[in-house]
Amino acid sequence: MGDYIAELTHISKSFPGVKALDDVSFNVKAGEVMALLGENGAGKSTLVKVLSGVYTKDEGEIKLFGNPVEDLTPKKAQELGVAIIHQELNMCAHLSVAENIFLGREETHSGVLSNREMNQKAKVILNRLNMEIDPATIVGDLAISKQQMVEIAKALSTNAKILIMDEPTSALTSNEIEDLFKIIKKLKAEGCAIIYISHRLEELQYIVDRVTIMRDGKFITSMNFSDTDMAEIISNMVGHEIKEKFPRVPCSRGKKIFEVKNLNAGKMVRDVNFSLYEGEIVGIAGLMGAGRTETTRAIFGVDPKESGEIFLDGKQIDIKKPMDAIRAGIVLAPEDRKKDGLCVKLSVTENISLPNLDLLSNGIGVIDRKKEKAMTEKAVNDLQIKLPNADVDAATLSGGNQQKLVVAKWLARNSRVVIFDEPTRGIDVAAKVEIYNLMNELKMQGIGVLFVSSEMPEIMGISDRILVMCDGKITGELEIEEATQDIILQYATKFDSKFAQKEAV
Amino acid sequence: MENREKQNVWKKVMAIRGMGQVITVTIGLIALWIVFGLLSPSFYSARNVGNLLRQVAPILIIGIGQSYVLITGNIDLSIGSVVGMSCMISATLMTKGMNPWAAMLLTILICIGVGVLNGLLVAQCKLPPFIATLGTMTVARGVAQIVNNNYNTDAIGEAAQGYRNLFYYGSTFGVYNTIWIAVILFLVFDFLLSKTRTGRHIYAVGSNIEASKLSGIDTDLITIKVYVVSGFCAGIVGLITSATAGMGTMDAGNMYEMYAVAASVIGGVSTLGGQGILIGTVVGAAIWGTLQNGLQFAGAPVAMRNIVIGIIVIISVLLDVIIRTGKPRKSKKSNHSNSVSGTSQGS
């Protein structure tokens, strides 16, 4: 057993009301990539937080490099060579790249910060990662994906021997993922142990040596990746087999519900045209920054439009602010749940009733608690949101349930068009299927469903028609029968070229 | 060659975060000086310039303390009362015959104690800073009233003349000592904030406390430290006040917490934390002092001055908000567009 660089045995950890970890054992060797898998709420994040000193264990033993370790704090873990890249970006947005990389470990010269040296060292680390970022750039000015790379650079700068990555790819584009995998392979060759948490199972084959699967806070199994297959992994994760990863409901296309004509809004939405019909789900594919989110925001009236017309059921409507869209029956479940989708400090009930207060309150604005309660109960039941009761804060729900909540608050009113932006980001397989089922149900009810996704299998698996965006424009439109990953990618990378190129469409 | 060096210095200065706004505000300050100079020529007299700076000094000093607290994303409402407390305690001790220097030290220690208490309430007891310091504000004002049985003190007398000279009446190299004290405190605290590890951690805590904790920073200690700085600064201003009046007055420092916020915010310190530099607070305090002094010179009644200063504070924050949201940086969405425009140029 001597070659385990980290060994956790019989770890338990409880929070008020929940047993997050129940007798979990976990180990990882030097020079291997260990995937830690499980649904949301399975306890993966809690386990790695115990290993990195963020949480203290209630019971069990932690051995690092063969030595038992007690009273682990983030600082102590860092000194011992454990570094964690958190799921949620943890950067000081006001500080520079170099300042973030050396945060908490600043180098000083007789008490004065040695900024120049730190900048140089940061540059070296960034070069090692093939990143061309000026260390003096303010982190808040960087794109999210670049911020994530900075976080990796920060972890590397500590000379970490055990590197924990919690959903590192969820905000990255495919190119960046490729870069990340190169880095992971390099680190592995250097003898680092990497603990890799991800919901994107299809990525595992490129990097992973072993997998550990958790469910409901318990250790389920641990095996070599080469000895197993996806079906086995998934069935271990969910405890039962998911038959259809992408449930598709055939529906005949009805009349046109919704049409966008010549929509322009800033650099990222240029001359966008499309229609939605009853009985279909339309997916918008594209690379990150293709203008998909911006398009949904412009339609919904969050960002101002420069020009363009929007028709609902044949009538032109004027959307200047989100309220106009909601009144007309167009709703948006935004990408960033915690930032745009929910008031996480408010209760589940309050979140659901928030956009529906016009339906729930009387003439002078007093809210009818009974109606509110009924609406919440119906929504929670319809979407099978798992919660202790509807008075808990939205923040306490798992990612998948939060996503359902974002949807739930809109479904309580009779909408005509529902727009989802990355509805399954960061949620587990079973919850994804529930979201797909929900979208199918809307489709069957004749509601127009538009969804943005960066996950190609999802786009191909659930849409009836696919719009591809690139650089603020719709570069392709495909019926599902003619769509392949290659064609979509072709359209998604169709940037305006300086060479006079003939449009292929 | 020399020109190039100059350019480099200029570049370096401009590279300091937040310098842009400080320069904008400085232009505003110069404009005020011109306007008041035109309104009353004696505004520029050596005597008035000296007085003006001496008026600015205490506001700058408490502004430094408040800026420290604001940069961590907190607020200290107690400092005005701590000024009053410091004034009353120092004067009472002196009238009871204590050596002025010993009284000064003891007073400062007590004010630091209030800072520690504020820090503990906010960091350890997790009280919202607004509430915690609202509480200590009331307590400190109560202490100021109780130390001399609800009376202002008598004159602190002959024995304290050295003390009075040090804090108010004396000058060194032709400049009032009060101004020197402010300058020295500014230099020390600016150095701490911009050049040391603790300073960096103060910005980090204000920018993202969770990330700071996970980076191994003792965020509680940083919070306590900034409140200690603000308690200390308020204590010094209290000493200046008792030296100025030659006695302790119970309502000394009334509203100073707001003046300190105003000086900080005008100078570009963000009330949301993570942003701001002390040189900005200097300019902010100077604007505040110039308005007070200049409006007085121009013959505006006190009430009028308050109205004008209040409006200026609102306008400067408003400008700040407009400048910030006008820039393509705040929202995540615009970050996306940045990255994309980069890609499209590349292809």
Side-chain angles (χ1 to χ4, degrees):
Chain A
M1 300 285 276
D3 55 349
Y4 289 130
I5 164 166
E7 235 185 313
L8 285 78
T9 33
H10 306 298
I11 300 287
S12 292
K13 168 82 193 168
S14 295
F15 295 108
V18 237
K19 189 144 197 181
L21 293 177
D22 186 4
D23 194 24
V24 175
S25 296
F26 175 82
N27 53 50
V28 61
K29 291 178 214 160
E32 78 170 354
V33 178
M34 165 67 96
L36 185 54
L37 305 174
E39 295 188 74
N40 278 322
K44 298 162 303 190
S45 292
T46 313
L47 183 68
V48 294
K49 278 183 178 162
V50 167
L51 177 56
S52 59
V54 179
Y55 295 152
T56 24
K57 61 183 164 51
D58 297 339
E59 282 166 55
E61 192 190 33
I62 301 176
K63 269 190 192 173
L64 291 175
F65 306 99
N67 304 315
V69 186
E70 286 297 320
D71 303 327
L72 208 56
T73 62
K75 197 160 192 168
K76 197 167 164 190
Q78 203 178 71
E79 282 160 8
L80 287 169
V82 181
I84 181 163
I85 296 157
H86 289 275
Q87 188 172 4
E88 264 115 59
L89 285 175
N90 264 301
M91 299 260 102
C92 292
H94 300 99
L95 300 185
S96 77
V97 170
E99 285 167 353
N100 267 290
I101 288 177
F102 288 96
L103 192 61
R105 299 172 296 112
E106 290 84 0
E107 294 185 6
T108 54
H109 192 72
S110 46
V112 181
L113 292 167
S114 333
N115 283 326
R116 191 178 295 170
E117 278 141 56
M118 285 192 279
N119 275 337
Q120 277 165 0
K121 285 190 180 173
K123 187 86 205 162
V124 171
I125 299 163
L126 292 167
N127 283 342
R128 196 174 141 203
L129 297 178
N130 300 326
M131 277 194 274
E132 281 181 32
I133 302 174
D134 180 0
T137 322
I138 303 301
V139 162
D141 292 340
L142 291 172
I144 298 293
S145 52
K146 290 274 188 311
Q147 293 188 21
Q148 179 124 26
M149 298 306 243
V150 173
E151 192 145 22
I152 293 171
K154 178 178 173 180
L156 290 183
S157 72
T158 63
N159 288 319
K161 284 281 144 207
I162 302 167
L163 194 60
I164 303 163
M165 297 187 180
D166 196 350
E167 290 283 354
T169 57
S170 61
L172 300 189
T173 64
S174 46
N175 268 342
E176 288 161 337
I177 292 176
E178 213 179 303
D179 287 342
L180 176 70
F181 286 177
K182 276 186 202 150
I183 294 163
I184 289 178
K185 282 175 188 157
K186 199 166 166 185
L187 294 171
K188 191 173 131 177
E190 289 171 15
C192 287
I194 291 153
I195 300 169
Y196 190 88
I197 299 178
S198 179
H199 286 306
R200 299 182 162 202
L201 300 179
E202 67 278 2
E203 330 176 310
L204 300 181
Q205 51 180 311
Y206 302 108
I207 44 166
V208 164
D209 300 304
R210 282 201 299 152
V211 294
T212 293
I213 296 170
M214 293 179 67
R215 193 198 318 142
D216 300 330
K218 294 191 184 75
F219 170 83
I220 299 299
T221 179
S222 181
M223 49 203 171
N224 284 327
F225 188 71
S226 50
D227 302 340
T228 180
D229 57 34
M230 279 306 153
E232 189 183 3
I233 289 176
I234 291 175
S235 70
N236 273 312
M237 278 168 63
V238 296
H240 56 87
E241 268 183 72
I242 296 181
K243 293 214 177 56
E244 236 178 334
K245 208 173 156 202
F246 296 109
R248 181 184 287 282
V249 183
C251 238
S252 59
R253 188 175 293 177
K255 61 176 172 52
K256 188 190 278 184
I257 309 173
F258 181 65
E259 186 170 13
V260 174
K261 273 189 184 165
N262 307 325
L263 179 67
N264 283 289
K267 259 202 316 205
M268 297 318 302
V269 185
R270 284 153 57 196
D271 202 23
V272 168
N273 287 289
F274 69 89
S275 324
L276 272 180
Y277 293 85
E278 272 183 358
E280 67 167 1
I281 295 176
V282 174
I284 307 184
L287 300 177
M288 224 174 174
R292 296 168 299 167
T293 295
E294 289 79 356
T295 304
T296 62
R297 285 169 63 92
I299 293 172
F300 193 54
V302 189
D303 297 333
K305 296 182 248 306
E306 283 149 23
S307 63
E309 293 166 343
I310 293 175
F311 297 90
L312 187 69
D313 291 321
K315 272 184 295 203
Q316 184 168 357
I317 49 172
D318 190 19
I319 300 174
K320 285 207 179 65
K321 49 188 191 295
M323 203 45 186
D324 300 336
I326 296 167
R327 289 242 165 84
I330 301 168
V331 298
L332 170 71
E335 176 182 14
D336 190 333
R337 291 191 287 273
K338 285 184 189 149
K339 185 169 149 278
D340 300 331
L342 294 174
C343 300
V344 289
K345 284 182 182 170
L346 296 186
S347 73
V348 170
T349 307
E350 284 161 330
N351 269 290
I352 290 177
S353 59
L354 189 60
N356 306 312
L357 290 175
D358 53 337
L359 309 175
L360 295 174
S361 51
N362 64 17
I364 53 164
V366 178
I367 299 166
D368 185 335
R369 298 278 164 193
K370 268 187 201 149
K371 272 195 204 165
E372 187 182 34
K373 195 162 172 249
M375 177 186 273
T376 307
E377 274 170 7
K378 184 172 182 312
V380 169
N381 281 335
D382 285 355
L383 299 188
Q384 297 170 359
I385 304 175
K386 282 174 215 145
L387 35 83
N389 62 65
D391 293 327
V392 297
D393 286 357
T396 61
L397 302 187
S398 71
N401 282 314
Q402 282 184 353
Q403 185 63 50
K404 286 190 205 166
L405 185 55
V406 175
V407 180
K409 67 181 211 184
W410 290 126
L411 298 188
R413 59 195 308 138
N414 298 322
S415 307
R416 286 296 286 147
V417 176
V418 182
I419 306 171
F420 296 88
D421 193 358
E422 301 284 1
T424 63
R425 168 164 294 169
I427 67 176
D428 59 63
V429 184
K432 277 183 185 178
V433 173
E434 286 179 56
I435 297 285
Y436 300 144
N437 286 335
L438 182 70
M439 288 162 75
N440 280 331
E441 202 159 305
L442 295 174
K443 158 171 137 181
M444 286 187 290
Q445 288 169 17
I447 292 168
V449 182
L450 183 69
F451 88 111
V452 171
S453 173
S454 296
E455 299 204 28
M456 200 75 93
E458 173 175 297
I459 283 272
M460 307 212 355
I462 207 75
S463 328
D464 298 294
R465 196 151 53 90
I466 299 171
L467 305 170
V468 190
M469 285 191 76
C470 175
D471 212 10
K473 285 189 282 201
I474 293 187
T475 49
E477 184 173 341
L478 299 161
E479 291 299 326
I480 190 64
E481 297 81 22
E482 49 179 344
T484 66
Q485 210 143 333
D486 291 351
I487 299 176
I488 293 176
L489 209 61
Q490 242 173 46
Y491 285 129
T493 51
K494 221 166 85 183
F495 290 98
D496 280 340
S497 172
K498 283 179 185 163
F499 306 106
Q501 212 178 36
K502 279 201 171 173
E503 295 275 314
V505 186
Chain B
M1 196 60 199
E2 202 181 277
N3 205 359
R4 201 167 166 190
E5 254 168 45
K6 264 186 194 163
Q7 267 184 359
N8 279 343
V9 170
W10 177 243
K11 249 189 181 168
K12 256 189 173 167
V13 169
M14 285 313 289
I16 298 174
R17 235 163 282 151
M19 198 46 102
Q21 185 175 3
V22 172
I23 287 171
T24 320
V25 181
T26 309
I27 294 169
L29 176 62
I30 293 167
L32 280 180
W33 281 340
I34 293 171
V35 170
F36 285 129
L38 290 175
L39 284 176
S40 62
S42 53
F43 180 75
Y44 289 132
S45 66
R47 210 187 121 171
N48 189 47
V49 171
N51 273 334
L52 168 68
L53 292 179
R54 200 155 55 163
Q55 252 177 322
V56 167
I59 299 305
L60 170 59
I61 297 170
I62 50 164
I64 290 171
Q66 189 70 280
S67 293
Y68 262 63
V69 177
L70 289 174
I71 291 171
T72 59
N74 294 305
I75 195 167
D76 190 347
L77 296 180
S78 72
I79 49 179
S81 298
V82 173
V83 168
M85 195 183 85
S86 161
C87 177
M88 279 304 289
I89 291 178
S90 58
T92 307
L93 290 174
M94 285 177 216
T95 51
K96 299 264 184 310
M98 190 185 230
N99 175 297
W101 308 115
M104 174 186 94
L105 278 180
L106 186 59
T107 306
I108 285 293
L109 282 177
I110 294 170
C111 294
I112 287 177
V114 176
V116 173
L117 176 66
N118 279 330
L120 288 172
L121 288 174
V122 172
Q124 306 269 334
C125 309
K126 315 282 176 216
L127 290 188
F130 197 91
I131 305 300
T133 60
L134 193 65
T136 48
M137 168 178 120
T138 318
V139 172
R141 186 61 69 188
V143 172
Q145 288 158 343
I146 219 167
V147 280
N148 200 39
N149 298 321
N150 227 350
Y151 285 107
N152 291 340
T153 69
D154 298 333
I156 53 180
E158 288 294 307
Q161 202 51 48
Y163 163 82
R164 297 189 68 187
N165 285 340
L166 172 68
F167 279 99
Y168 195 73
Y169 289 99
S171 345
T172 310
F173 304 124
V175 174
Y176 288 126
N177 286 342
T178 320
I179 299 167
W180 281 116
I181 292 173
V183 168
I184 290 166
L185 288 178
F186 162 72
L187 290 175
V188 169
F189 284 115
D190 184 58
F191 176 83
L192 282 175
L193 191 61
S194 60
K195 302 280 183 215
T196 68
R197 193 175 289 189
T198 300
R200 175 68 48 78
H201 291 177
I202 288 171
Y203 282 103
V205 165
S207 179
N208 186 339
I209 192 163
E210 204 52 38
S212 306
K213 253 184 227 159
L214 295 172
S215 299
I217 295 172
D218 188 341
T219 54
D220 288 357
L221 187 62
I222 293 292
T223 308
I224 293 169
K225 277 183 185 171
V226 294
Y227 277 107
V228 164
V229 168
S230 100
F232 169 80
C233 288
I236 296 286
V237 173
L239 296 179
I240 293 174
T241 325
S242 67
T244 309
M247 61 182 280
T249 47
M250 291 184 296
D251 62 350
N254 196 18
M255 290 292 285
Y256 271 33
E257 62 280 347
M258 289 306 155
Y259 300 158
V261 173
S264 306
V265 170
I266 294 173
V269 176
S270 165
T271 50
L272 302 173
Q275 273 174 316
I277 44 179
L278 282 195
I279 187 76
T281 308
V282 173
V283 180
I287 286 188
W288 184 90
T290 303
L291 284 169
Q292 284 283 1
N293 178 289
L295 288 169
Q296 193 180 355
F297 249 78
V302 179
M304 199 60 203
R305 277 183 253 162
N306 283 340
I307 292 171
V308 171
I309 293 170
I311 292 172
I312 297 269
V313 170
I314 293 170
I315 290 176
S316 59
V317 180
L318 205 61
L319 277 178
D320 179 39
V321 170
I322 292 167
I323 290 167
R324 255 175 250 245
T325 46
K327 265 193 217 165
R329 68 160 290 184
K330 261 286 140 173
S331 82
K332 209 175 123 185
K333 311 300 176 230
S334 44
N335 273 333
H336 284 186
S337 60
N338 283 345
S339 70
V340 165
S341 58
T343 336
S344 56
Q345 276 157 18
S347 59

